[in-house]
Amino acid sequence: LLYTIKFEMFILGAAPKVIGGISAIAASCITCLQIYQHLQHYFCPAEQRWIIRILCIVPIYALTSWCSLMYWQFSIYFDSIRDVYEAFVIYNFLCLCYEYIGGENCILNEIQGKELPRSWIHMTCCLPKIHYDIQFLRFCKQCTLQFCAVKPVVALITIILEAEGKFHENNLSPKYGYLYVTIIYNISVTMALYALVLFYVATKDILRPHDPVIKFFMVKAIIFASFWQGVLLSFLELVNVIKQTTNSADTEVITTGQISASYQNFLICVEMLISALLLRVAFPYAIYDKHESSARQTLSTNIRDTLNPKYMVNDYIHNFSSTYKSYALGNQSANDESDSEPRPLRLETPESLEEGYHDDQRYASGGGGELEGEWGSGREVLVSHDELDLSSPR
């Protein structure tokens, strides 16, 4: 009984708010400094725009969690901001991996025709034989993009249900909306994270020069930690480890959902301080000094580029379009032996690679041509297999 009382009363005291506040502010300062350093050394926009967006998860997670801890009556609104950005980060991390390799063209050149390895670790042991092709990359993008669409809708539904008194956070009763929102969320986030796993399995050898393990670990750890903490706290409610109580003046009832949510927010504040330190190692700005050029942009221009939503909008249009075309290496997988003629490869020049595949590989919605797209800039190069020197590094 004494343990239970301490467990419940601790989170209602001043200590968690002070510790959480110090951790949240420190994590935000560390990461904001890192973001500023990337903006000051913004010499590779194709990669750094995604990195900056990923780094923003620390101050957003930390500050919204602290606000929820301080003003738990409004936690549903703060948590919705945090959860929506979580979906955005998964998409941005996949886009960053695309840029590291050079875009979908270069990824296909490396992996097309190879078979997806079967492993219980990656949860691919029960899948049928799959060969990598353009549809595989499209599937990975679609899974992350659907989460970006589903999460804001779920957040809005959560706010409406809470306003109507029908949500009851961490209450798994079928009478309330929390159960159904959780099921929808879990299906959506599982698809997005599983797509990341499959993409990593397919490209881990190509990504090795970019130290993908720590980057992949950090993105998944931040998202999974908050998720499984919520599951654990819900379980503690279920087994009556967390009990309903009152405030110190016995004037207000504190529900088990409020107590577990407060613990969740406190833990996230502390975890974000650790994450901020690890993300400095995962995404250093100094490696981009070598890209420095005379055409340096102003800080405000770099910020506008980072905030520009056109890349995500274009990805939605492209990947969910009914006119989607296999624009790289033809529209056949490498294991289709019916085509005996070598297919042309479209290569990107260094100039196009610097601008990023999103700027150079926007796709037209109509017209003909197997390799159709907005290539009319003159930067594209079309070569045959015979003309391609495969012995030199890409």
Side-chain angles (χ1 to χ4, degrees):
L1 177 63
L2 180 63
Y3 170 79
T4 302
I5 294 175
K6 287 182 178 180
F7 183 82
E8 293 161 352
M9 296 306 297
F10 168 77
I11 199 63
L12 301 178
K17 297 178 176 63
V18 173
I19 297 172
I22 293 173
S23 300
I25 293 173
S28 299
C29 290
I30 292 171
T31 304
C32 286
L33 174 60
Q34 185 180 4
I35 291 172
Y36 175 77
Q37 290 170 329
H38 271 283
L39 290 169
Q40 285 291 94
H41 300 80
Y42 201 66
F43 305 124
C44 188
E47 295 180 6
Q48 288 177 282
R49 69 169 63 97
W50 309 112
I51 291 174
I52 291 172
R53 294 174 182 180
I54 293 170
L55 293 177
C56 285
I57 194 175
V58 170
I60 290 175
Y61 257 51
L63 295 178
T64 55
S65 296
W66 186 42
C67 289
S68 294
L69 187 61
M70 295 292 295
Y71 309 101
W72 56 263
Q73 301 92 333
F74 308 103
S75 63
I76 192 72
Y77 306 105
F78 296 123
D79 293 349
S80 296
I81 297 173
R82 181 182 70 201
D83 293 344
V84 168
Y85 198 80
E86 167 190 296
F88 190 54
V89 165
I90 295 177
Y91 163 76
N92 280 277
F93 181 70
L94 181 62
C95 290
L96 176 62
C97 292
Y98 271 54
E99 291 296 346
Y100 278 151
I101 302 175
E104 288 174 320
N105 261 1
C106 293
I107 298 173
L108 280 175
N109 288 346
E110 295 285 349
I111 70 172
Q112 179 154 328
K114 296 180 181 178
E115 185 177 339
L116 176 69
R118 302 192 181 187
S119 169
W120 64 268
I121 297 177
H122 304 133
M123 294 180 290
T124 58
C125 54
C126 299
L127 294 178
K129 182 180 292 186
I130 298 175
H131 289 85
Y132 300 128
D133 58 9
I134 188 63
Q135 295 298 332
F136 171 79
L137 295 182
R138 185 191 189 191
F139 169 79
C140 293
K141 271 289 181 73
Q142 286 179 330
C143 285
T144 54
L145 286 169
Q146 62 81 26
F147 188 42
C148 293
V150 169
K151 199 64 187 87
V153 175
V154 169
L156 180 61
I157 293 174
T158 299
I159 292 174
I160 295 173
L161 290 175
E162 180 69 18
E164 296 294 326
K166 298 179 180 179
F167 183 64
H168 290 248
E169 186 171 7
N170 292 324
N171 190 325
L172 297 177
S173 171
K175 297 186 298 183
Y176 303 116
Y178 176 78
L179 174 64
Y180 306 105
V181 167
T182 301
I183 291 173
I184 295 172
Y185 167 79
N186 287 343
I187 293 173
S188 183
V189 71
T190 300
M191 290 177 61
L193 290 174
Y194 189 56
L196 273 186
V197 171
L198 293 181
F199 182 83
Y200 173 75
V201 171
T203 60
K204 61 182 179 180
D205 293 332
I206 318 170
L207 287 169
R208 187 170 289 118
H210 301 281
D211 298 323
V213 175
I214 185 172
K215 297 177 174 65
F216 190 79
F217 170 78
M218 285 306 304
V219 170
K220 294 201 69 172
I222 291 174
I223 294 171
F224 259 24
S226 62
F227 169 73
W228 286 110
Q229 281 169 187
V231 172
L232 176 60
L233 289 167
S234 296
F235 175 75
L236 293 178
E237 283 187 62
L238 191 64
V239 297
N240 291 323
V241 173
I242 299 177
K243 298 180 180 294
Q244 181 174 289
T245 186
T246 59
N247 60 8
S248 56
D250 290 331
T251 59
E252 187 177 3
V253 175
I254 310 298
T255 66
T256 56
Q258 292 167 350
I259 294 172
S260 59
S262 296
Y263 266 106
Q264 170 82 317
N265 291 315
F266 169 68
L267 291 172
I268 289 176
C269 289
V270 176
E271 290 161 357
M272 285 304 102
L273 179 57
I274 301 172
S275 299
L277 298 173
L278 293 177
L279 285 172
R280 288 194 66 86
V281 178
F283 299 103
Y285 76 92
I287 62 174
Y288 295 103
D289 284 344
K290 62 184 179 181
H291 295 281
E292 185 169 358
S293 64
S294 58
R296 181 171 180 171
Q297 301 296 322
T298 64
L299 188 65
S300 60
T301 302
N302 297 340
I303 293 174
R304 284 198 302 271
D305 179 71
T306 302
L307 298 176
N308 195 332
K310 71 176 182 179
Y311 309 104
M312 187 174 184
V313 173
N314 288 334
D315 256 357
Y316 265 113
I317 295 172
H318 169 59
N319 285 282
F320 289 98
S321 172
S322 60
T323 59
Y324 182 91
K325 293 185 182 296
S326 299
Y327 56 89
L329 293 180
N331 57 5
Q332 287 182 309
S333 61
N335 62 320
D336 185 354
E337 299 178 358
S338 63
D339 188 357
S340 59
E341 292 297 323
R343 307 185 68 85
L345 300 177
R346 187 179 295 283
L347 302 181
E348 295 170 299
T349 64
E351 181 184 0
S352 67
L353 285 175
E354 184 176 351
E355 292 185 9
Y357 88 98
H358 282 292
D359 290 331
D360 289 334
Q361 296 184 157
R362 290 298 112 214
Y363 308 100
S365 60
E370 185 176 286
L371 299 176
E372 126 183 288
E374 293 181 12
W375 290 91
S377 61
R379 289 193 294 265
E380 65 273 16
V381 180
L382 193 64
V383 299
S384 68
H385 284 72
D386 296 334
E387 295 171 324
L388 183 65
D389 182 8
L390 298 176
S391 61
S392 60
R394 180 173 50 81

